[in-house]
């Protein structure tokens, strides 16, 4: 189970750490200095401008609100997801 953002910064409905504690054979990881929309593709400059001006700060899907770039966050996601999928697919063969 994976969260984007530190557990203590997430709304309780999005936290997967408690679920991992009661799910057999599960593990829990989180991507630090990220937020829920960090998994999305990077926005263009025009997209950042339009979405930034037309939405509440908490709904700005183009801003990761941290010190890390979306590219860095995506690299972390790939480093966790690819080995997990490779292992899971190997087990199911």
């Amino acid at each position: 189970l994976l969260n984007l953002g530190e557990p203590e910064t997430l709304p309780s409905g999005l936290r997967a750490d408690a679920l991992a504690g009661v799910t057999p054979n599960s593990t829990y990881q989180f991507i630090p200095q990220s937020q829920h929309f960090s998994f999305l593709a990077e926005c263009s400059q025009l997209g950042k401008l339009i979405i930034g001006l037309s939405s509440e700060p908490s709904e700005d899907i183009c801003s990761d609100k941290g010190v890390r770039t979306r590219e860095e966050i995506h690299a972390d996601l790939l480093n966790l997801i690819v080995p997990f999928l490779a292992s899971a697919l190997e087990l199911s063969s």
Side-chain angles (χ1 to χ4, degrees):
L1 300 167
L2 178 64
N3 270 133
L4 292 171
E6 292 83 356
E8 60 276 0
T9 67
L10 298 169
S12 60
L14 296 178
R15 289 182 61 166
D17 54 340
L19 182 60
V22 297
T23 303
N25 303 316
S26 71
T27 59
Y28 175 72
Q29 300 261 346
F30 66 90
I31 304 292
Q33 299 175 342
S34 62
Q35 55 103 18
H36 180 70
F37 293 114
S38 296
F39 73 93
L40 295 173
E42 294 186 53
C43 294
S44 68
Q45 288 297 88
L46 181 59
K48 288 178 184 179
L49 179 65
I50 292 171
I51 291 172
L53 291 175
S54 65
S55 65
E56 295 294 323
S58 63
E59 298 170 350
D60 184 348
I61 64 171
C62 289
S63 173
D64 293 313
K65 301 170 185 70
V67 296
R68 299 177 71 214
T69 67
R70 200 162 281 195
E71 182 179 11
E72 293 171 318
I73 294 165
H74 287 178
D76 283 355
L77 287 167
L78 286 172
N79 288 333
L80 289 171
I81 294 169
V82 170
F84 171 80
L85 290 176
S87 175
L89 292 172
E90 184 177 290
L91 293 174
S92 66
S93 301

